[in-house]
Amino acid sequence: MKKVAILNSYFAKDISKRHQEILHFIKSKGGQILVSELVQKAKTTTKTIQKLEENGYIIIEDQEVLRLEQGIDDIRDQSKQLSQDQEQALEVINKLQGYGEILLHGVTGSGKTEVYLQAISPLLEQGKSALILVPEIGLTPQLTDRFRARFGDKVFVYHSNLSKGERYDTWRQMLPGEPQVIIGTRSAIFAPLPNLGLIILDEEHDSSFKQTQLSPNYHARTVAKWRGELENCPVILGSATPSLETWLSVNYPPSSSVNSYYLSLPERIGYRPLPPVKIVDMRDELKQGNRSIFSRPLQEALRNLKEKNQQAILFVNRRGHSTFVSCRICGYVMECPDCDVSLSYHYTHEGATQLLRCHYCNYTQIQPPKCPECNSPYFKFFGSGTQKVTQALEKEFPELTYIRFDSDTTRNKGSHRRLLEQFSRGEADILVGTQMLTKGLDLAQVTLVGVVSADGLLYLSDYRAAERAFQTLTQVAGRAGRGDEPGEVIIQTYSPENSVIQAVKKHDYHRFIDEELPRREELNFPPHGRLILVQLSGLDAIEVEKTAEKLGERFHETIGLDCEILGPAPASIMRVAKRYRWQILLKFLPEARVIIPDMKNWYKLCPNSVSLKIDIDPLHIN
């Protein structure tokens, strides 16, 4: 962009009054200003500016202007009075010199963000920078606004939803080493901050911190620890539901040389109570004739929203309308032609074409009028996604308005901020969404949280299913009652006796880990033991299977006795996007040293048509 700078502050006698005014305006701006800004604010023209340059008063030159993502203007706020627990946590953080791993374990609404803010403030004064990682892009607007209210233009954002130009410019402005705060998703861990004084992972337990889509796979938490050691700065891992790996590594560090600290915030700010959790047995609802998506306690709570002028969150584990579509006569299920999964029904509006979509490869087709198998016109839509829940709301509670908050409604740039701002302004009574709702949102006016069906989280073929279910349900329950009004949580389930449900009911993290850690230890699963997942995929099913068998034989010949080899076996979803998938799981005993053999030999066993992917410490085995 073009910039104007004053060259000669001496004004000739014959200079016009208008030219003098423009030059005085430029001087008031520090002697330089963008041409576009000068034209607008001084109410002049480019021709007039060019005349001043011809007379030798100014120079017009190119200036690099960085495209930096900016949030909304906010009133600057001051540091808040800390509770005793917050003060103790902040004291430990401020005293820490050099690298240290800190677990800040605070219940939802306990003020972890205020501790972050007050820990960063003295670092900026010392000329150092801070890096804050969040699991979802949807968390960045609210967190960024709060940090900018405290630190102004020293706060910048870095995530994949920015344009390439914005990401490049944000990267560029870090290089000079000015003290600043970078807020971003997992890739921001590589931000080139020369004077890094603190790294924070907020919601450190979240699986979104693991890069699984592209190779190389990495976990931002692991990289953060490595970078903290290299930069000799503390790493804060904040969560209300810490991962079992973090809990164990901080409380029982493998080496006495590691500075590990466990800091607890067991109370909410202002001694607000955690919301009571009511568990509704949907089997009883069915016996009593209630066939609605909503149980009677949840219906009553929703009806009271308008009267009390309050808002609610409804959590649904899936987007879309229905998880699968089946013929009522023969039972035929509509499946994706390219993946071994059923197609989900997506509703757009009344009278619109009915669409079926695959959530793995995004294959889309029109819902057929008749069953391809038996020619029956009768279909049944099973399961409940966000669209089906909003349809039920329209039918049963027409007086209530809602906003749907899932990956379908937040695809466009800025949509996360726009939807949350609408809800914060009271433009809707209910926010209906998926797991995006569980991650750190602070909405003071929400007094009711309803979990439409908890069972979709509980019974999955993954050793981490219980941990994820506890974390998700506890986090979403924590969105209620964060303001002055008390909150309540209603969880609907067909398994009220499940140990995870009972731990969530009491907001009892310690009860959960006391039950879960022994199960993991018995089976040598992380955090007791290490895993390596070897995945093969290709278009030819026979070729992939044979390659997996060859690789499995090689593993048995070359890998030591302290490693259990599981497989080769088909992946739980064998075909995705026309590619057949097999996998081998290497499970190392807790005391074993994990040494990855020379992978060149592994790749030599794979033909060019078969892809080999190696995932160290996988979070998903599917």
Side-chain angles (χ1 to χ4, degrees):
M1 298 183 73
K2 298 292 184 182
K3 179 187 72 172
V4 170
I6 285 184
L7 286 179
N8 186 358
S9 58
Y10 171 76
F11 301 160
K13 292 182 180 180
D14 59 346
I15 190 173
S16 69
K17 184 178 179 180
R18 180 55 182 150
H19 282 181
Q20 288 186 39
E21 291 173 350
I22 295 171
L23 292 170
H24 280 303
F25 181 81
I26 298 172
K27 287 179 69 176
S28 71
K29 296 296 181 181
Q32 58 183 12
I33 188 174
L34 293 175
V35 170
S36 58
E37 187 179 355
L38 180 62
V39 169
Q40 182 183 5
K41 293 188 176 179
K43 294 182 172 58
T44 185
T45 64
T46 53
K47 188 174 181 180
T48 302
I49 296 170
Q50 289 168 356
K51 188 68 175 177
L52 286 170
E53 183 183 35
E54 291 172 6
N55 292 336
Y57 288 106
I58 63 171
I59 185 173
I60 302 174
E61 57 187 2
D62 290 324
Q63 180 185 34
E64 182 183 33
V65 178
L66 299 179
R67 295 153 291 189
L68 302 176
E69 192 269 353
Q70 295 294 329
I72 59 174
D73 293 332
D74 204 349
I75 300 172
R76 294 293 294 272
D77 77 340
Q78 303 297 320
S79 297
K80 295 176 175 56
Q81 181 68 39
L82 298 181
S83 67
Q84 185 177 350
D85 293 321
Q86 287 175 305
E87 286 181 353
Q88 291 174 353
L90 184 62
E91 185 179 356
V92 171
I93 295 169
N94 288 340
K95 283 184 177 179
L96 186 58
Q97 299 294 322
Y99 173 69
E101 181 182 342
I102 302 166
L103 172 56
L104 185 60
H105 182 192
V107 299
T108 54
S110 60
K112 293 186 289 294
T113 304
E114 185 63 28
V115 174
Y116 301 156
L117 288 162
Q118 295 198 28
I120 289 171
S121 185
L123 292 176
L124 295 176
E125 294 174 3
Q126 297 166 23
K128 296 182 178 180
S129 295
L131 176 60
I132 303 168
L133 303 184
V134 294
E136 291 278 357
I137 292 171
L139 287 183
T140 55
Q142 194 174 55
L143 195 67
T144 303
D145 291 345
R146 185 164 178 189
F147 271 76
R148 282 185 174 141
R150 189 70 57 90
F151 301 127
D153 58 5
K154 293 182 179 179
V155 179
F156 302 94
V157 174
Y158 186 85
H159 56 68
S160 60
N161 212 26
L162 301 176
S163 68
K164 289 183 179 179
E166 287 172 327
R167 269 185 284 168
Y168 169 78
D169 290 348
T170 303
W171 189 276
R172 276 272 291 106
Q173 65 82 31
M174 299 180 205
L175 298 177
E178 293 296 319
Q180 58 193 283
V181 179
I182 299 296
I183 300 175
T185 47
R186 62 176 178 248
S187 60
I189 190 58
F190 303 107
L193 292 167
N195 301 312
L196 190 56
L198 181 65
I199 301 173
I200 297 171
L201 266 79
D202 195 28
E203 311 295 345
E204 67 83 26
H205 64 275
D206 199 282
S207 60
S208 297
F209 282 123
K210 178 74 182 278
Q211 163 64 277
T212 58
Q213 302 301 317
L214 301 172
S215 293
N217 293 349
Y218 68 90
H219 200 302
R221 182 176 60 220
T222 304
V223 180
K225 293 178 184 179
W226 290 344
R227 186 163 187 190
E229 291 189 70
L230 290 171
E231 304 279 359
N232 199 30
C233 72
V235 177
I236 299 177
L237 308 173
S239 178
T241 54
S243 65
L244 297 188
E245 285 85 353
T246 296
W247 169 266
L248 213 61
S249 69
V250 169
N251 288 282
Y252 305 97
S255 170
S256 58
S257 62
V258 177
N259 293 326
S260 299
Y261 302 88
Y262 174 75
L263 306 177
S264 178
L265 303 178
E267 302 284 343
R268 280 188 160 186
I269 293 296
Y271 300 102
R272 295 185 180 103
L274 286 166
V277 178
K278 181 179 179 62
I279 307 300
V280 179
D281 189 341
M282 295 302 285
R283 295 172 299 186
D284 293 339
E285 293 290 313
L286 194 58
K287 287 177 184 177
Q288 294 170 21
N290 180 18
R291 297 186 176 277
S292 168
I293 289 176
F294 310 115
S295 63
R296 287 168 302 164
L298 184 54
Q299 290 175 14
E300 182 180 355
L302 290 171
R303 289 192 189 96
N304 292 334
L305 287 178
K306 281 289 188 185
E307 180 183 337
K308 296 180 179 179
N309 195 28
Q310 295 173 347
Q311 290 179 300
I313 283 176
L314 288 182
F315 169 72
V316 190
N317 193 38
R318 295 178 179 273
R319 62 191 173 99
H321 182 281
S322 300
T323 51
F324 69 96
V325 181
S326 174
C327 173
R328 287 176 180 262
I329 305 301
C330 70
Y332 178 85
V333 175
M334 299 297 300
E335 293 185 343
C336 175
D338 302 328
C339 308
D340 290 336
V341 295
S342 60
L343 293 171
S344 298
Y345 169 52
H346 280 248
Y347 172 87
T348 51
H349 57 82
E350 188 67 32
T353 302
Q354 293 182 324
L355 293 178
L356 303 178
R357 183 177 299 164
C358 175
H359 286 180
Y360 282 82
C361 70
N362 210 33
Y363 168 85
T364 304
Q365 73 170 57
I366 296 173
Q367 165 71 28
K370 294 182 180 180
C371 172
E373 191 75 15
C374 70
N375 215 32
S376 166
Y378 303 110
F379 287 98
K380 184 171 177 59
F381 298 83
F382 289 87
S384 298
T386 49
Q387 291 180 329
K388 192 169 184 178
V389 171
T390 55
Q391 272 189 320
L393 282 173
E394 291 175 354
K395 181 179 179 181
E396 298 182 39
F397 305 97
E399 73 280 8
L400 298 177
T401 55
Y402 65 84
I403 290 174
R404 186 158 60 92
F405 193 71
D406 58 25
S407 58
D408 288 332
T409 62
T410 56
R411 294 182 187 276
N412 297 328
K413 183 176 179 180
S415 53
H416 294 88
R417 179 190 292 278
R418 176 176 52 79
L419 293 175
L420 290 176
E421 285 178 355
Q422 288 177 359
F423 189 68
S424 297
R425 291 194 299 265
E427 295 179 16
D429 303 300
I430 305 171
L431 191 63
V432 181
T434 54
Q435 294 194 29
M436 296 167 64
L437 293 175
T438 70
K439 302 175 182 182
L441 296 182
D442 191 356
L443 302 165
Q445 65 275 30
V446 172
T447 58
L448 171 66
V449 166
V451 177
V452 175
S453 177
D455 302 290
L457 297 167
L458 296 175
Y459 303 110
L460 301 174
S461 58
D462 192 325
Y463 75 96
R464 290 182 183 270
E467 181 181 3
R468 289 200 192 96
F470 175 81
Q471 290 166 342
T472 299
L473 294 174
T474 300
Q475 291 284 345
V476 74
R479 301 313 109 197
R482 298 170 77 96
D484 296 330
E485 296 293 328
E488 66 172 324
V489 180
I490 298 173
I491 297 179
Q492 301 181 165
T493 177
Y494 288 92
S495 306
E497 69 286 346
N498 186 284
S499 60
V500 171
I501 297 293
Q502 291 302 314
V504 172
K505 181 178 181 179
K506 298 183 182 300
H507 301 276
D508 194 343
Y509 175 81
H510 295 278
R511 171 177 173 171
F512 168 73
I513 61 171
D514 287 345
E515 293 180 350
E516 183 66 13
L517 278 174
R519 294 191 190 113
R520 300 278 187 92
E521 187 173 16
E522 183 180 356
L523 297 170
N524 294 327
F525 275 119
H528 301 287
R530 298 284 299 277
L531 301 177
I532 296 178
L533 182 64
V534 180
Q535 300 170 305
L536 300 101
S537 68
L539 297 174
D540 188 319
I542 303 298
E543 190 173 39
V544 174
E545 181 179 356
K546 288 182 176 179
T547 304
E549 289 173 350
K550 284 183 185 177
L551 204 55
E553 290 173 3
R554 178 61 60 88
F555 289 167
H556 282 285
E557 294 170 0
T558 58
I559 297 178
L561 296 176
D562 52 2
C563 173
E564 183 181 0
I565 302 173
L566 303 179
S572 58
I573 301 176
M574 187 176 181
R575 189 171 52 116
V576 173
K578 298 182 180 180
R579 297 184 69 85
Y580 294 88
R581 309 188 308 157
W582 280 66
Q583 57 193 31
I584 305 170
L585 185 65
L586 307 180
K587 188 161 70 166
F588 292 83
L589 299 177
E591 63 276 7
R593 185 183 176 192
V594 180
I595 300 176
I596 303 174
D598 185 0
M599 290 186 292
K600 289 181 181 178
N601 293 324
W602 295 9
Y603 283 104
K604 287 179 182 177
L605 293 174
C606 299
N608 293 334
S609 57
V610 176
S611 298
L612 175 64
K613 180 180 177 183
I614 300 167
D615 189 357
I616 311 295
D617 298 324
L619 294 185
H620 300 273
I621 303 175
N622 57 8

